Amino acid sequence: VRVRRPRIGESSQQAVLMPKLIDVRANQKGVSYKSLFGEYLKGATRFDITDPFVRMPHQVDNLIELIHLIREATDNAEGIIITLNTNNNEDKIPEMIDIFDGLKDDLATYGIDFAYRFDADHDRNIVLNNGWTITLGRGLDIFEKFERFSLASSRQSERRCRAFSIAINNSSVE
């Protein structure tokens, strides 16, 4: 058996995740859900997302981008359970039910269990069953408006951000 030595810049051990606070400036680029908290999603199978403002098409797109990241970060994509706690105006809820039911049906074809409720207040976070909680100061809606036909439409890191903070904590870390 041959043991490979780590290359320069590589660690022989996996990085230890620590609680952290991230502040992003207005108009900052180079930011994505993956760069912010992607590594914390590993090992989780249950994702409880609370964001009362998943109402507009671009906000649903943000949710779908997060689900893509969850799927990439999880070892067993077919064991994923995602619950969205959001809210909306009473007259818009039927439209959102149609959208979320369509998303639920689509995700089921990938083995992902998706549920939603319209019971969120103001808090915005993602609670993972691996012990981590990601507190989203602005929720998933962190990007400035961008043109549909641009590189930013398919790559988060090309988008300009709104100012926000994210806190990542673990209930098992003291």
Side-chain angles (χ1 to χ4, degrees), residues 62-124:
N62 290 337
L63 173 64
I64 292 169
E65 289 175 346
L66 174 61
I67 293 170
H68 273 290
L69 177 60
I70 288 170
R71 191 165 174 250
E72 288 175 6
T74 305
D75 294 332
N76 181 10
E78 291 191 6
I80 298 172
I81 300 169
I82 299 171
T83 303
L84 172 65
N85 302 295
T86 191
N87 216 325
N88 211 319
N89 300 327
E90 287 296 322
D91 60 328
K92 297 288 185 181
I93 288 178
E95 176 185 350
M96 295 311 297
I97 288 172
D98 289 344
I99 290 169
F100 292 146
D101 281 350
L103 180 57
K104 179 179 180 157
D105 292 345
D106 180 64
L107 292 175
T109 66
Y110 297 94
I112 298 171
D113 182 19
F114 177 75
Y116 59 90
R117 294 188 296 265
F118 296 99
D119 63 353
D121 289 327
H122 188 272
D123 291 345
R124 300 168 187 151

Side-chain angles (χ1 to χ4, degrees), residues 136-153:
L136 307 164
R138 185 177 286 280
L140 298 176
D141 197 6
I142 62 173
F143 302 107
E144 291 289 349
K145 186 175 181 174
F146 53 88
E147 294 298 320
R148 179 175 174 216
F149 299 109
S150 69
L151 188 57
S153 68

Side-chain angles (χ1 to χ4, degrees), residues 2 17 19 36 47 81 90 92 98 130 134 157-158 167:
R2 185 175 166 186
L17 298 178
L36 292 169
F47 304 83
I81 300 169
E90 287 296 322
K92 297 288 185 181
D98 289 344
N130 63 1
I134 303 164
S157 61
E158 296 295 328

